[in-house]
Amino acid sequence: MTINIGSYSIVKWLFLCSWFILFIVGLTHFTGSWLTYTTFSVVFLVMLISGFYRQVSYGYLFLVVMLWLGFWFKITIHLFIDYPFGESIGLFDKSASAWDEVLLVATIGSMGVMAARVFYHLMGGWGGSSMLAAQNGAKPIVPTWYPAGRKWMWACLMFACVGLAIINSTLGILKIGLVPSVILLWPLNAVISLLIGYGLTFGIATLLWWDIALGRNVSIVVYFILLEAFTSAVSILSRGALIYHSVPPFLALYKNKNIVSGWSRKNIIAVSMAFFVLLAISNPLVNGLRGYYYSNVTQVSGVKISTLAKFAVDRWVGAESVMVVSAYPKKGVDLFARSIMERREIGKDTLYTEISRPVYFGVVDKSKFQFSEIPGAIAFLYYAGQLWVVALGMIVLVLAMLVSEGLVFRFTSNPLLSALWGGTVAGAVAQMGGQPISLLFYFFELSCVIAAICFVQSKFFSRMLQKSSALIRVKGGF
C-alpha cells in the first residue's frame, strides 16, 4: 500500500497503529494458540487491505469490510472487553481448542475471498471494472425521452418512496421478524417487498446517473437517496437498511466526483451530516418500533434492543455463527445438503436457529414472529465440516459477486447501480443464512429490475415511444 503525504496517509497510519494496539491486546487475552491468533489477524488485515488496494469492485470492498468487522474486529473487542456476544453461540465452550478451530475456519474463509480476487484478475477482470466510469471508458446511456419527463419521474419516485413506506407500515407486508399481516392479490406482496427492498433505490440511482450524464446539477436530487433509505429502514424495521441503501451510491458518487456537476467539498460535508443525523434518528426510532411490534417478546424471550455501541460491533455477522457451527457435533454432507435445500416456512424454525438455540427458541409465537439468526457464508459452508468446502465455496461466491457486478456495469454503464448491486451481493454473502433457494430467486428478481432498466434506456425503447407518440398524434388529427 503506497503511503502518500496528506490526510489519507495520516488515516492509514492511524488505522495501522490502532490495529497493532488492538492486536497486542487481543493476543494477550486469547486463550488459544498465539500462532493461530497471529495468523488470523494478519490474514484478515491483508484481506481488508486487498479491498482498498487497486480497487476493482464495490462489492469486494464492502464484503471484506463486513467480514473484517464481523470476525477480527468483533472477536478482538470481545477479548478485550469480555461482554456477552450479541448472538447466541450454541454449544461453543470457549476452550482453547474451540477458539483455535473458530479462527482457523475464519482464516480459511478469508483466504478463499482473496483467492477469488486473484482468479478474477487472472481472468482479466472479466465483465469490466465498475469503480470509475470515466477512467474505464464507459459512455453514459441517457434515453432521448428522459429530459422531457424528468420532473415527473422524480416526483413519482418521491411519492413512491413515502407512499410505499406508509402502505408497508400499515399493512405489515415486509417487517423484519414479523409474519406478513396482509396477503394481497398475487404478486403485489412480492412487488412491494422488492421495491422497498432495493427496487426504489435502483430507480433513484438510474435517474441520478442520467442527470449526471446530462450535466445537470445534482446537489438537490442526491438527497433522494437518503429519503428512500430512511423511509425504507423505518418501514421494514431495519437498523442497517439506511447504511446498505445509501453508502454504496454515495461511495460511487464520491469515486466519480470529477464528472458530477455541482459536487463540491461543501456538498460532501452537507450530505455526510444529513446521513449521520438520519442514522442517529433511525436507530432509536426503529428500536422503539421493534419494541412496540414485538410486544412482550423482548422481556419474555430475551430479544434485546442493541445499544449504539453494540450496534457498531455486534451487528456484523461472523464470529458467533462459526462458534455455533464449529461446536455442532453433526456436521457433514447430510447437514450441508439439508441447508442448501432449506425453504423458509411460517411456523417453522430455520436449520441454523435449531442449531444455535437462541434465547427465544421455543418461546415466541412462530405464527406471528419470524425471528431468526443467520450464519453467514463461512459458517454456512462449514456445515459440511470440511475446510476445503469453506475455501472453495468462498472462491465461487466471491467470483460470482465480482463477475455479476462487472456485468451490471457493462450493460448499464452506471457505477451507482454497480455499487448497489455489489453492496447487495456482498451483504448476501456476508449474511448468508437459511433458504439459499429463496436468495437465488431474490437475485433473479433484481436481475429483472436491471434488465428492465437496460430496456427503458435502450434505443429500441426510445424508438417505440417515438412511434407511439407519432401514432397518437395521427389519430388525434383525425
Side-chain angles (χ1 to χ4, degrees):
M1 181 168 56
T2 303
I3 302 298
N4 300 314
I5 298 176
S7 59
Y8 287 108
S9 177
I10 295 174
V11 170
K12 291 173 185 177
W13 279 111
L14 284 175
F15 170 78
L16 290 175
C17 290
S18 301
W19 178 90
F20 184 74
I21 292 171
L22 285 175
F23 165 72
I24 296 299
V25 171
L27 184 63
T28 56
H29 288 78
F30 187 65
T31 57
S33 167
W34 67 268
L35 180 60
T36 301
Y37 180 78
T38 301
T39 304
F40 162 73
S41 299
V42 171
V43 169
F44 266 81
L45 178 62
V46 173
M47 180 192 69
L48 181 64
I49 293 173
S50 73
F52 290 88
Y53 179 72
R54 294 185 179 179
Q55 299 170 0
V56 297
S57 162
Y58 291 103
Y60 186 83
L61 172 61
F62 297 139
L63 178 62
V64 298
V65 170
M66 285 188 280
L67 292 178
W68 185 83
L69 289 171
F71 282 96
W72 188 85
F73 185 67
K74 179 187 289 187
I75 289 175
T76 302
I77 292 297
H78 276 272
L79 289 174
F80 175 46
I81 301 179
D82 190 21
Y83 67 94
F85 281 90
E87 304 290 335
S88 57
I89 59 176
L91 301 175
F92 186 73
D93 61 9
K94 298 185 180 181
S95 65
S97 59
W99 271 117
D100 285 342
E101 182 179 359
V102 167
L103 267 58
L104 176 61
V105 173
T107 301
I108 295 297
S110 176
M111 293 173 69
V113 171
M114 290 186 285
R117 174 168 178 173
V118 173
F119 289 144
Y120 184 70
H121 175 74
L122 294 176
M123 293 165 58
W126 190 77
S129 172
S130 63
M131 296 297 284
L132 298 171
Q135 190 179 90
N136 291 313
K139 297 180 179 180
I141 304 171
V142 183
T144 56
W145 51 264
Y146 174 65
R150 174 182 175 273
K151 291 182 179 179
W152 285 105
M153 294 190 70
W154 275 114
C156 289
L157 264 180
M158 180 182 69
F159 284 113
C161 290
V162 177
L164 286 178
I166 294 174
I167 291 173
N168 182 62
S169 296
T170 303
L171 300 182
I173 295 171
L174 176 63
K175 291 182 183 293
I176 292 178
L178 299 174
V179 172
S181 302
V182 176
I183 303 298
L184 302 173
L185 182 67
W186 187 88
L188 291 179
N189 277 62
V191 171
I192 292 174
S193 297
L194 178 64
L195 288 174
I196 295 178
Y198 271 99
L200 289 175
T201 193
F202 274 35
I204 290 172
T206 300
L207 297 193
L208 184 57
W209 188 247
W210 288 350
D211 278 3
I212 291 171
L214 290 172
R216 299 189 67 94
N217 188 312
V218 297
S219 58
I220 300 299
V221 294
V222 73
Y223 287 94
F224 277 73
I225 296 175
L226 290 176
L227 172 67
E228 188 282 331
F230 179 78
T231 55
S232 294
V234 175
S235 177
I236 66 177
L237 307 182
S238 171
R239 292 187 292 261
L242 180 65
I243 296 174
Y244 296 135
H245 286 207
S246 61
V247 170
F250 280 137
L251 178 60
L253 281 173
Y254 177 77
K255 299 291 283 187
N256 294 274
K257 61 182 180 295
N258 293 335
I259 58 175
V260 179
S261 179
W263 195 247
S264 63
R265 179 174 296 182
K266 182 179 178 181
N267 295 129
I268 295 175
I269 295 174
V271 170
S272 299
M273 290 178 62
F275 168 79
F276 285 112
V277 168
L278 290 178
L279 185 63
I281 295 173
S282 67
N283 192 59
L285 180 58
V286 170
N287 283 340
L289 288 172
R290 284 189 173 196
Y292 170 76
Y293 283 109
Y294 297 167
S295 184
N296 294 324
V297 175
T298 53
Q299 286 79 32
V300 175
S301 67
V303 179
K304 298 179 180 179
I305 304 299
S306 300
T307 63
L308 182 60
K310 294 189 70 174
F311 173 77
V313 176
D314 290 325
R315 73 117 19 242
W316 309 103
V317 176
E320 299 101 326
S321 55
V322 176
M323 295 178 196
V324 169
V325 176
S326 64
Y328 189 64
K330 298 181 181 179
K331 295 186 294 294
V333 176
D334 292 340
L335 184 68
F336 187 50
R338 180 185 167 190
S339 67
I340 292 176
M341 301 305 297
E342 183 178 23
R343 293 177 181 270
R344 187 65 190 267
E345 299 178 22
I346 296 176
K348 183 180 179 181
D349 288 311
T350 63
L351 172 61
Y352 182 73
T353 302
E354 293 177 3
I355 294 174
S356 63
R357 297 280 174 148
V359 289
Y360 55 79
F361 182 78
V363 177
V364 300
D365 183 352
K366 287 178 285 190
S367 65
K368 297 180 180 180
F369 301 100
Q370 284 188 317
F371 294 138
S372 177
E373 295 182 349
I374 47 182
I378 293 177
F380 178 86
L381 293 167
Y382 198 50
Y383 278 144
Q386 300 293 329
L387 293 176
W388 69 267
V389 174
V390 175
L392 181 61
M394 292 305 294
I395 291 173
V396 171
L397 289 173
V398 177
L399 271 179
M401 178 189 69
L402 290 166
V403 171
S404 63
E405 182 186 326
L407 290 176
V408 168
F409 182 68
R410 172 182 288 184
F411 287 118
T412 66
S413 298
N414 187 335
L416 278 67
L417 279 177
S418 301
L420 280 168
W421 178 273
T424 307
V425 181
V429 173
Q431 303 181 67
M432 186 174 178
Q435 52 187 334
I437 295 178
S438 298
L439 186 62
L440 289 176
F441 180 73
Y442 178 66
F443 278 104
F444 170 75
E445 292 179 320
L446 290 181
S447 298
C448 290
V449 173
I450 295 295
I453 291 171
C454 291
F455 178 68
V456 299
Q457 67 181 20
S458 67
K459 294 180 179 179
F460 175 75
F461 184 75
S462 296
R463 288 195 295 266
M464 284 180 56
L465 288 181
Q466 291 174 353
K467 291 180 179 179
S468 299
S469 299
L471 183 61
I472 291 173
R473 286 195 296 270
V474 170
K475 288 184 176 180
F478 287 106

Short mmCIF file of all heavy atoms in Angstrom, two decimals, residues 79-134:
data_model
loop_
_atom_site.label_atom_id
_atom_site.label_comp_id
_atom_site.label_asym_id
_atom_site.label_seq_id
_atom_site.Cartn_x
_atom_site.Cartn_y
_atom_site.Cartn_z
N LEU A 79 -12.52 -10.01 23.19
CA LEU A 79 -11.40 -10.47 24.00
C LEU A 79 -10.94 -9.38 24.96
O LEU A 79 -10.56 -9.65 26.11
CB LEU A 79 -10.23 -10.88 23.10
CG LEU A 79 -10.39 -12.16 22.29
CD1 LEU A 79 -9.22 -12.34 21.33
CD2 LEU A 79 -10.51 -13.38 23.21
N PHE A 80 -11.02 -8.15 24.50
CA PHE A 80 -10.57 -7.01 25.30
C PHE A 80 -11.57 -6.65 26.39
O PHE A 80 -11.21 -6.50 27.56
CB PHE A 80 -10.31 -5.81 24.37
CG PHE A 80 -9.94 -4.56 25.09
CD1 PHE A 80 -8.99 -4.55 26.10
CD2 PHE A 80 -10.52 -3.35 24.73
CE1 PHE A 80 -8.65 -3.39 26.76
CE2 PHE A 80 -10.18 -2.17 25.38
CZ PHE A 80 -9.25 -2.19 26.40
N ILE A 81 -12.86 -6.54 26.02
CA ILE A 81 -13.87 -6.07 26.98
C ILE A 81 -14.56 -7.24 27.69
O ILE A 81 -15.00 -7.12 28.83
CB ILE A 81 -14.91 -5.19 26.25
CG1 ILE A 81 -14.20 -3.98 25.60
CG2 ILE A 81 -15.98 -4.71 27.21
CD1 ILE A 81 -15.11 -3.06 24.84
N ASP A 82 -14.69 -8.38 27.02
CA ASP A 82 -15.29 -9.58 27.60
C ASP A 82 -16.73 -9.34 28.07
O ASP A 82 -17.05 -9.40 29.25
CB ASP A 82 -14.45 -10.10 28.77
CG ASP A 82 -14.91 -11.49 29.22
OD1 ASP A 82 -15.57 -12.19 28.42
OD2 ASP A 82 -14.64 -11.87 30.37
N TYR A 83 -17.60 -9.04 27.10
CA TYR A 83 -19.04 -8.94 27.38
C TYR A 83 -19.76 -9.95 26.48
O TYR A 83 -19.19 -10.42 25.50
CB TYR A 83 -19.54 -7.51 27.16
CG TYR A 83 -19.51 -7.05 25.73
CD1 TYR A 83 -20.64 -7.16 24.91
CD2 TYR A 83 -18.36 -6.47 25.18
CE1 TYR A 83 -20.62 -6.73 23.59
CE2 TYR A 83 -18.33 -6.03 23.87
CZ TYR A 83 -19.46 -6.16 23.07
OH TYR A 83 -19.43 -5.73 21.78
N PRO A 84 -21.00 -10.31 26.78
CA PRO A 84 -21.70 -11.34 26.01
C PRO A 84 -21.84 -10.96 24.54
O PRO A 84 -22.06 -9.79 24.20
CB PRO A 84 -23.07 -11.41 26.69
CG PRO A 84 -22.85 -10.89 28.06
CD PRO A 84 -21.80 -9.83 27.93
N PHE A 85 -21.71 -11.95 23.68
CA PHE A 85 -21.89 -11.73 22.25
C PHE A 85 -23.34 -11.37 21.96
O PHE A 85 -24.25 -11.76 22.69
CB PHE A 85 -21.49 -12.97 21.46
CG PHE A 85 -20.00 -13.12 21.29
CD1 PHE A 85 -19.25 -13.82 22.23
CD2 PHE A 85 -19.35 -12.57 20.21
CE1 PHE A 85 -17.88 -13.96 22.09
CE2 PHE A 85 -17.98 -12.70 20.05
CZ PHE A 85 -17.23 -13.40 20.99
N GLY A 86 -23.54 -10.63 20.87
CA GLY A 86 -24.88 -10.18 20.52
C GLY A 86 -25.79 -11.29 20.07
O GLY A 86 -27.02 -11.20 20.19
N GLU A 87 -25.22 -12.36 19.51
CA GLU A 87 -26.00 -13.51 19.05
C GLU A 87 -25.62 -14.73 19.90
O GLU A 87 -24.61 -14.74 20.60
CB GLU A 87 -25.73 -13.79 17.57
CG GLU A 87 -26.00 -12.61 16.65
CD GLU A 87 -27.47 -12.30 16.52
OE1 GLU A 87 -28.29 -13.22 16.73
OE2 GLU A 87 -27.82 -11.14 16.22
N SER A 88 -26.43 -15.77 19.81
CA SER A 88 -26.16 -16.99 20.57
C SER A 88 -24.92 -17.69 20.02
O SER A 88 -24.56 -17.53 18.85
CB SER A 88 -27.36 -17.93 20.48
OG SER A 88 -27.66 -18.23 19.13
N ILE A 89 -24.25 -18.45 20.87
CA ILE A 89 -23.03 -19.16 20.46
C ILE A 89 -23.20 -20.68 20.58
O ILE A 89 -22.21 -21.42 20.52
CB ILE A 89 -21.82 -18.69 21.28
CG1 ILE A 89 -22.04 -18.91 22.78
CG2 ILE A 89 -21.53 -17.23 21.01
CD1 ILE A 89 -20.83 -18.55 23.62
N GLY A 90 -24.43 -21.15 20.73
CA GLY A 90 -24.71 -22.58 20.72
C GLY A 90 -23.97 -23.35 21.78
O GLY A 90 -23.94 -22.98 22.95
N LEU A 91 -23.29 -24.43 21.36
CA LEU A 91 -22.56 -25.32 22.27
C LEU A 91 -21.10 -24.92 22.44
O LEU A 91 -20.32 -25.65 23.06
CB LEU A 91 -22.64 -26.77 21.76
CG LEU A 91 -24.06 -27.36 21.61
CD1 LEU A 91 -23.98 -28.74 20.98
CD2 LEU A 91 -24.74 -27.41 22.98
N PHE A 92 -20.73 -23.77 21.91
CA PHE A 92 -19.34 -23.32 22.00
C PHE A 92 -18.92 -23.15 23.46
O PHE A 92 -19.58 -22.44 24.23
CB PHE A 92 -19.19 -21.99 21.26
CG PHE A 92 -17.78 -21.49 21.15
CD1 PHE A 92 -16.88 -22.10 20.29
CD2 PHE A 92 -17.36 -20.42 21.91
CE1 PHE A 92 -15.58 -21.64 20.19
CE2 PHE A 92 -16.06 -19.94 21.81
CZ PHE A 92 -15.17 -20.56 20.95
N ASP A 93 -17.83 -23.81 23.84
CA ASP A 93 -17.43 -23.84 25.26
C ASP A 93 -16.28 -22.89 25.61
O ASP A 93 -15.80 -22.88 26.74
CB ASP A 93 -17.07 -25.27 25.67
CG ASP A 93 -15.89 -25.84 24.86
OD1 ASP A 93 -15.25 -25.06 24.11
OD2 ASP A 93 -15.63 -27.05 24.98
N LYS A 94 -15.79 -22.12 24.64
CA LYS A 94 -14.73 -21.12 24.85
C LYS A 94 -13.40 -21.73 25.29
O LYS A 94 -12.55 -21.04 25.85
CB LYS A 94 -15.17 -20.07 25.88
CG LYS A 94 -16.39 -19.26 25.45
CD LYS A 94 -16.71 -18.15 26.46
CE LYS A 94 -17.92 -17.35 26.02
NZ LYS A 94 -18.25 -16.26 26.96
N SER A 95 -13.23 -23.00 25.05
CA SER A 95 -11.94 -23.62 25.36
C SER A 95 -10.89 -23.18 24.35
O SER A 95 -11.22 -22.65 23.28
CB SER A 95 -12.07 -25.15 25.35
OG SER A 95 -12.37 -25.61 24.04
N ALA A 96 -9.63 -23.42 24.67
CA ALA A 96 -8.54 -23.01 23.79
C ALA A 96 -8.64 -23.70 22.43
O ALA A 96 -8.49 -23.06 21.37
CB ALA A 96 -7.19 -23.34 24.44
N SER A 97 -8.93 -24.98 22.42
CA SER A 97 -9.03 -25.72 21.16
C SER A 97 -10.24 -25.24 20.34
O SER A 97 -10.19 -25.19 19.10
CB SER A 97 -9.15 -27.21 21.43
OG SER A 97 -10.28 -27.50 22.24
N ALA A 98 -11.33 -24.92 21.04
CA ALA A 98 -12.52 -24.43 20.34
C ALA A 98 -12.25 -23.09 19.68
O ALA A 98 -12.66 -22.84 18.53
CB ALA A 98 -13.69 -24.31 21.32
N TRP A 99 -11.54 -22.20 20.39
CA TRP A 99 -11.18 -20.91 19.80
C TRP A 99 -10.26 -21.09 18.60
O TRP A 99 -10.40 -20.41 17.58
CB TRP A 99 -10.51 -20.03 20.84
CG TRP A 99 -11.43 -19.18 21.65
CD1 TRP A 99 -11.65 -19.24 23.00
CD2 TRP A 99 -12.29 -18.13 21.17
NE1 TRP A 99 -12.57 -18.30 23.38
CE2 TRP A 99 -12.98 -17.60 22.27
CE3 TRP A 99 -12.52 -17.60 19.90
CZ2 TRP A 99 -13.89 -16.55 22.15
CZ3 TRP A 99 -13.43 -16.55 19.77
CH2 TRP A 99 -14.11 -16.04 20.89
N ASP A 100 -9.31 -22.01 18.70
CA ASP A 100 -8.39 -22.26 17.59
C ASP A 100 -9.14 -22.71 16.34
O ASP A 100 -8.83 -22.29 15.22
CB ASP A 100 -7.35 -23.31 17.98
CG ASP A 100 -6.28 -22.75 18.91
OD1 ASP A 100 -6.13 -21.51 18.97
OD2 ASP A 100 -5.59 -23.55 19.58
N GLU A 101 -10.15 -23.57 16.53
CA GLU A 101 -10.93 -24.05 15.38
C GLU A 101 -11.72 -22.91 14.73
O GLU A 101 -11.77 -22.80 13.50
CB GLU A 101 -11.89 -25.16 15.81
CG GLU A 101 -12.68 -25.74 14.63
CD GLU A 101 -13.62 -26.86 15.05
OE1 GLU A 101 -13.65 -27.20 16.25
OE2 GLU A 101 -14.33 -27.38 14.17
N VAL A 102 -12.31 -22.06 15.54
CA VAL A 102 -13.08 -20.93 15.01
C VAL A 102 -12.19 -20.03 14.18
O VAL A 102 -12.55 -19.63 13.05
CB VAL A 102 -13.73 -20.13 16.16
CG1 VAL A 102 -14.27 -18.78 15.66
CG2 VAL A 102 -14.85 -20.93 16.80
N LEU A 103 -11.03 -19.69 14.71
CA LEU A 103 -10.12 -18.79 13.99
C LEU A 103 -9.56 -19.45 12.74
O LEU A 103 -9.33 -18.78 11.71
CB LEU A 103 -9.00 -18.33 14.91
CG LEU A 103 -9.26 -17.00 15.65
CD1 LEU A 103 -10.52 -17.07 16.49
CD2 LEU A 103 -8.07 -16.62 16.52
N LEU A 104 -9.34 -20.77 12.79
CA LEU A 104 -8.84 -21.48 11.61
C LEU A 104 -9.87 -21.46 10.49
O LEU A 104 -9.54 -21.18 9.33
CB LEU A 104 -8.51 -22.93 11.99
CG LEU A 104 -8.07 -23.83 10.83
CD1 LEU A 104 -6.80 -23.29 10.17
CD2 LEU A 104 -7.86 -25.27 11.31
N VAL A 105 -11.12 -21.73 10.82
CA VAL A 105 -12.19 -21.72 9.82
C VAL A 105 -12.32 -20.32 9.21
O VAL A 105 -12.43 -20.17 7.99
CB VAL A 105 -13.54 -22.15 10.45
CG1 VAL A 105 -14.68 -21.98 9.45
CG2 VAL A 105 -13.46 -23.60 10.92
N ALA A 106 -12.31 -19.29 10.06
CA ALA A 106 -12.42 -17.91 9.57
C ALA A 106 -11.24 -17.56 8.67
O ALA A 106 -11.41 -16.90 7.63
CB ALA A 106 -12.50 -16.95 10.75
N THR A 107 -10.05 -17.99 9.05
CA THR A 107 -8.85 -17.71 8.26
C THR A 107 -8.93 -18.35 6.89
O THR A 107 -8.60 -17.72 5.87
CB THR A 107 -7.59 -18.20 9.00
OG1 THR A 107 -7.50 -17.56 10.28
CG2 THR A 107 -6.34 -17.89 8.20
N ILE A 108 -9.36 -19.60 6.84
CA ILE A 108 -9.51 -20.30 5.56
C ILE A 108 -10.54 -19.58 4.68
O ILE A 108 -10.35 -19.41 3.47
CB ILE A 108 -9.92 -21.77 5.78
CG1 ILE A 108 -8.80 -22.52 6.50
CG2 ILE A 108 -10.27 -22.44 4.46
CD1 ILE A 108 -7.51 -22.61 5.71
N GLY A 109 -11.65 -19.14 5.28
CA GLY A 109 -12.66 -18.41 4.53
C GLY A 109 -12.11 -17.11 3.96
O GLY A 109 -12.38 -16.76 2.80
N SER A 110 -11.32 -16.40 4.76
CA SER A 110 -10.72 -15.15 4.31
C SER A 110 -9.74 -15.39 3.16
O SER A 110 -9.70 -14.62 2.19
CB SER A 110 -9.99 -14.49 5.48
OG SER A 110 -9.31 -13.33 5.07
N MET A 111 -8.99 -16.45 3.25
CA MET A 111 -8.05 -16.78 2.17
C MET A 111 -8.79 -17.12 0.89
O MET A 111 -8.35 -16.80 -0.22
CB MET A 111 -7.16 -17.94 2.61
CG MET A 111 -6.22 -17.58 3.76
SD MET A 111 -5.28 -18.99 4.41
CE MET A 111 -4.18 -19.33 3.04
N GLY A 112 -9.97 -17.76 1.02
CA GLY A 112 -10.79 -18.04 -0.15
C GLY A 112 -11.28 -16.77 -0.82
O GLY A 112 -11.34 -16.67 -2.06
N VAL A 113 -11.62 -15.76 0.00
CA VAL A 113 -12.05 -14.47 -0.54
C VAL A 113 -10.93 -13.84 -1.37
O VAL A 113 -11.15 -13.38 -2.50
CB VAL A 113 -12.45 -13.52 0.61
CG1 VAL A 113 -12.69 -12.11 0.09
CG2 VAL A 113 -13.70 -14.04 1.31
N MET A 114 -9.71 -13.84 -0.83
CA MET A 114 -8.59 -13.23 -1.56
C MET A 114 -8.22 -14.05 -2.79
O MET A 114 -7.85 -13.47 -3.82
CB MET A 114 -7.39 -13.09 -0.62
CG MET A 114 -7.58 -12.04 0.46
SD MET A 114 -6.10 -11.76 1.46
CE MET A 114 -6.12 -13.25 2.48
N ALA A 115 -8.33 -15.37 -2.71
CA ALA A 115 -8.04 -16.21 -3.87
C ALA A 115 -8.99 -15.89 -5.02
O ALA A 115 -8.60 -15.89 -6.19
CB ALA A 115 -8.14 -17.68 -3.49
N ALA A 116 -10.26 -15.59 -4.68
CA ALA A 116 -11.24 -15.25 -5.72
C ALA A 116 -10.83 -13.97 -6.45
O ALA A 116 -10.97 -13.89 -7.68
CB ALA A 116 -12.62 -15.07 -5.08
N ARG A 117 -10.31 -13.00 -5.71
CA ARG A 117 -9.86 -11.78 -6.37
C ARG A 117 -8.68 -12.06 -7.30
O ARG A 117 -8.59 -11.49 -8.39
CB ARG A 117 -9.49 -10.71 -5.34
CG ARG A 117 -8.89 -9.51 -6.05
CD ARG A 117 -8.72 -8.28 -5.26
NE ARG A 117 -8.08 -7.27 -6.11
CZ ARG A 117 -7.91 -6.02 -5.77
NH1 ARG A 117 -8.33 -5.60 -4.60
NH2 ARG A 117 -7.31 -5.18 -6.58
N VAL A 118 -7.78 -12.92 -6.86
CA VAL A 118 -6.63 -13.28 -7.71
C VAL A 118 -7.12 -13.95 -8.99
O VAL A 118 -6.67 -13.61 -10.10
CB VAL A 118 -5.66 -14.19 -6.95
CG1 VAL A 118 -4.57 -14.71 -7.89
CG2 VAL A 118 -5.03 -13.46 -5.77
N PHE A 119 -8.05 -14.89 -8.87
CA PHE A 119 -8.59 -15.58 -10.04
C PHE A 119 -9.30 -14.60 -10.97
O PHE A 119 -9.20 -14.68 -12.19
CB PHE A 119 -9.55 -16.68 -9.62
CG PHE A 119 -8.87 -17.86 -8.97
CD1 PHE A 119 -9.48 -18.55 -7.94
CD2 PHE A 119 -7.62 -18.29 -9.39
CE1 PHE A 119 -8.87 -19.63 -7.34
CE2 PHE A 119 -6.98 -19.36 -8.80
CZ PHE A 119 -7.61 -20.04 -7.76
N TYR A 120 -10.02 -13.64 -10.38
CA TYR A 120 -10.73 -12.64 -11.18
C TYR A 120 -9.73 -11.80 -11.97
O TYR A 120 -9.96 -11.47 -13.14
CB TYR A 120 -11.56 -11.75 -10.26
CG TYR A 120 -12.42 -10.74 -10.97
CD1 TYR A 120 -13.52 -11.13 -11.72
CD2 TYR A 120 -12.13 -9.37 -10.88
CE1 TYR A 120 -14.32 -10.19 -12.37
CE2 TYR A 120 -12.92 -8.44 -11.53
CZ TYR A 120 -14.01 -8.86 -12.27
OH TYR A 120 -14.80 -7.93 -12.91
N HIS A 121 -8.61 -11.47 -11.33
CA HIS A 121 -7.56 -10.71 -12.02
C HIS A 121 -6.96 -11.53 -13.16
O HIS A 121 -6.72 -11.00 -14.25
CB HIS A 121 -6.47 -10.32 -11.02
CG HIS A 121 -5.29 -9.64 -11.65
ND1 HIS A 121 -5.34 -8.33 -12.10
CD2 HIS A 121 -4.03 -10.08 -11.92
CE1 HIS A 121 -4.16 -7.99 -12.62
NE2 HIS A 121 -3.36 -9.04 -12.51
N LEU A 122 -6.73 -12.82 -12.93
CA LEU A 122 -6.18 -13.68 -13.96
C LEU A 122 -7.16 -13.86 -15.12
O LEU A 122 -6.74 -14.12 -16.26
CB LEU A 122 -5.83 -15.06 -13.36
CG LEU A 122 -4.70 -15.07 -12.32
CD1 LEU A 122 -4.52 -16.46 -11.74
CD2 LEU A 122 -3.39 -14.56 -12.93
N MET A 123 -8.46 -13.72 -14.83
CA MET A 123 -9.48 -13.79 -15.87
C MET A 123 -9.55 -12.49 -16.67
O MET A 123 -10.34 -12.37 -17.60
CB MET A 123 -10.86 -14.06 -15.24
CG MET A 123 -10.98 -15.44 -14.60
SD MET A 123 -12.43 -15.56 -13.50
CE MET A 123 -13.77 -15.17 -14.62
N GLY A 124 -8.71 -11.54 -16.30
CA GLY A 124 -8.71 -10.26 -16.99
C GLY A 124 -9.78 -9.32 -16.50
O GLY A 124 -10.18 -8.40 -17.22
N GLY A 125 -10.26 -9.56 -15.27
CA GLY A 125 -11.33 -8.71 -14.76
C GLY A 125 -12.56 -8.83 -15.63
O GLY A 125 -13.21 -7.85 -15.98
N TRP A 126 -12.91 -10.08 -15.99
CA TRP A 126 -14.00 -10.33 -16.93
C TRP A 126 -15.28 -9.65 -16.47
O TRP A 126 -15.69 -9.79 -15.33
CB TRP A 126 -14.24 -11.83 -17.07
CG TRP A 126 -15.16 -12.17 -18.18
CD1 TRP A 126 -14.87 -12.20 -19.51
CD2 TRP A 126 -16.53 -12.55 -18.06
NE1 TRP A 126 -15.98 -12.56 -20.22
CE2 TRP A 126 -17.02 -12.79 -19.36
CE3 TRP A 126 -17.41 -12.70 -16.97
CZ2 TRP A 126 -18.32 -13.17 -19.62
CZ3 TRP A 126 -18.71 -13.08 -17.23
CH2 TRP A 126 -19.16 -13.32 -18.53
N GLY A 127 -15.90 -8.93 -17.38
CA GLY A 127 -17.10 -8.20 -17.03
C GLY A 127 -16.82 -6.72 -16.84
O GLY A 127 -17.69 -5.89 -16.93
N GLY A 128 -15.53 -6.38 -16.62
CA GLY A 128 -15.16 -4.98 -16.51
C GLY A 128 -15.13 -4.47 -15.09
O GLY A 128 -15.77 -5.01 -14.20
N SER A 129 -14.34 -3.42 -14.86
CA SER A 129 -14.29 -2.78 -13.56
C SER A 129 -15.40 -1.73 -13.47
O SER A 129 -15.72 -1.07 -14.45
CB SER A 129 -12.92 -2.11 -13.36
OG SER A 129 -12.92 -1.34 -12.20
N SER A 130 -15.98 -1.59 -12.29
CA SER A 130 -17.12 -0.68 -12.16
C SER A 130 -16.84 0.48 -11.23
O SER A 130 -17.77 1.21 -10.86
CB SER A 130 -18.32 -1.47 -11.61
OG SER A 130 -18.03 -1.98 -10.32
N MET A 131 -15.59 0.70 -10.86
CA MET A 131 -15.30 1.72 -9.86
C MET A 131 -15.31 3.13 -10.44
O MET A 131 -15.92 4.04 -9.89
CB MET A 131 -13.94 1.45 -9.21
CG MET A 131 -13.89 0.13 -8.43
SD MET A 131 -15.00 0.05 -7.04
CE MET A 131 -14.17 1.07 -5.84
N LEU A 132 -14.63 3.35 -11.57
CA LEU A 132 -14.50 4.69 -12.14
C LEU A 132 -15.05 4.68 -13.56
O LEU A 132 -14.45 4.11 -14.46
CB LEU A 132 -13.04 5.13 -12.14
CG LEU A 132 -12.38 5.25 -10.75
CD1 LEU A 132 -10.89 5.48 -10.89
CD2 LEU A 132 -13.02 6.38 -9.96
N ALA A 133 -16.18 5.32 -13.76
CA ALA A 133 -16.86 5.28 -15.05
C ALA A 133 -16.02 5.94 -16.15
O ALA A 133 -15.80 5.36 -17.21
CB ALA A 133 -18.22 5.96 -14.94
N ALA A 134 -15.55 7.16 -15.92
CA ALA A 134 -14.82 7.88 -16.95
C ALA A 134 -13.49 7.20 -17.27
O ALA A 134 -13.11 7.07 -18.43
CB ALA A 134 -14.57 9.32 -16.50
#
